[in-house]
Amino acid sequence: MSVQLREAGPEDADALTACEEAAYGTGLAHVFGDLPWPREGIWRRWVAELGDPGVTTLVVDDSRGRILGFATYDDQVLRHLGVVPERWGSGLADRLHDEVLQRHGARPIRLWVLEENTRARRFYARRGWVEDGRRSISEWLPHPVQVGYTRR
């Protein structure tokens, strides 16, 4: 199946919400348990980010136009990176990650990842990201701990 990398626009908010629900709903079920997916809040966040000229969202579409993965960044932070579970291990996350770093240039960049998201933490560590000592609490129930990473 062929895929296409492109920049997302405001019309992609619904599809990005669905993609994120698939990616994080599966990958983070052990963190969020039976709590309902915060669809409205996630959708509002996508609408705001897609409308912000300082934020870029890259998506990978399949041949039918379905979003299979996304990466969102600004001049300092990799905000989101996710791939639908059926494409885990396919290289899409690598492609999105590498494209963000190429576009971002040599400047340092940071990110937050849930402490209990061991899959993501291994992914970032293998790609040169280092824990930087920052800790925060997620805005989403049950408010899990996030740890900061930096890549120089």
Side-chain angles (χ1 to χ4, degrees), residues 8 13 63 68 79 85 98 107 110 143:
S63 57
L68 303 173
R79 295 176 175 213
D98 294 349
R107 297 168 289 155
R110 295 164 35 147
H143 306 294

Side-chain angles (χ1 to χ4, degrees), residues 7-151:
E7 287 193 20
E11 69 281 0
D12 292 309
D14 290 338
L16 281 161
T17 302
C19 183
E20 184 173 354
E21 182 174 10
Y24 296 166
T26 298
L28 298 174
H30 66 287
V31 176
F32 295 102
D34 293 331
L35 291 170
W37 177 253
R39 176 176 295 282
E40 183 67 25
I42 298 294
W43 180 83
R44 280 194 308 267
R45 190 203 65 218
W46 279 119
V47 168
E49 289 182 345
L50 292 167
D52 184 336
V55 176
T56 301
T57 296
L58 303 174
V59 296
V60 175
D61 291 330
D62 68 13
S63 57
R64 295 169 300 204
R66 177 178 173 228
I67 293 177
L68 303 173
F70 56 88
T72 302
Y73 65 98
D74 60 34
D75 63 346
Q76 297 179 0
V77 179
L78 173 56
R79 295 176 175 213
H80 318 290
L81 177 65
V83 173
V84 293
E86 63 266 26
R87 296 304 295 262
W88 288 356
S90 70
L92 287 183
D94 294 305
R95 182 174 176 187
L96 286 160
H97 174 268
D98 294 349
E99 183 70 22
V100 167
L101 293 183
Q102 180 181 356
R103 289 176 179 221
H104 191 266
R107 297 168 289 155
I109 188 168
R110 295 164 35 147
L111 64 80
W112 290 102
V113 64
L114 294 178
E115 185 173 48
E116 294 180 55
N117 190 349
T118 55
R119 180 183 179 86
R121 292 179 75 182
R122 284 192 308 265
F123 175 88
Y124 292 120
R126 284 193 308 269
R127 286 155 186 82
W129 293 82
V130 178
E131 268 191 77
D132 59 23
R134 294 177 300 133
R135 296 176 71 77
S136 178
I137 302 297
S138 169
E139 68 180 287
W140 308 107
L141 289 173
H143 306 294
V145 173
Q146 303 178 115
V147 292
Y149 281 77
T150 300
R151 190 162 193 276

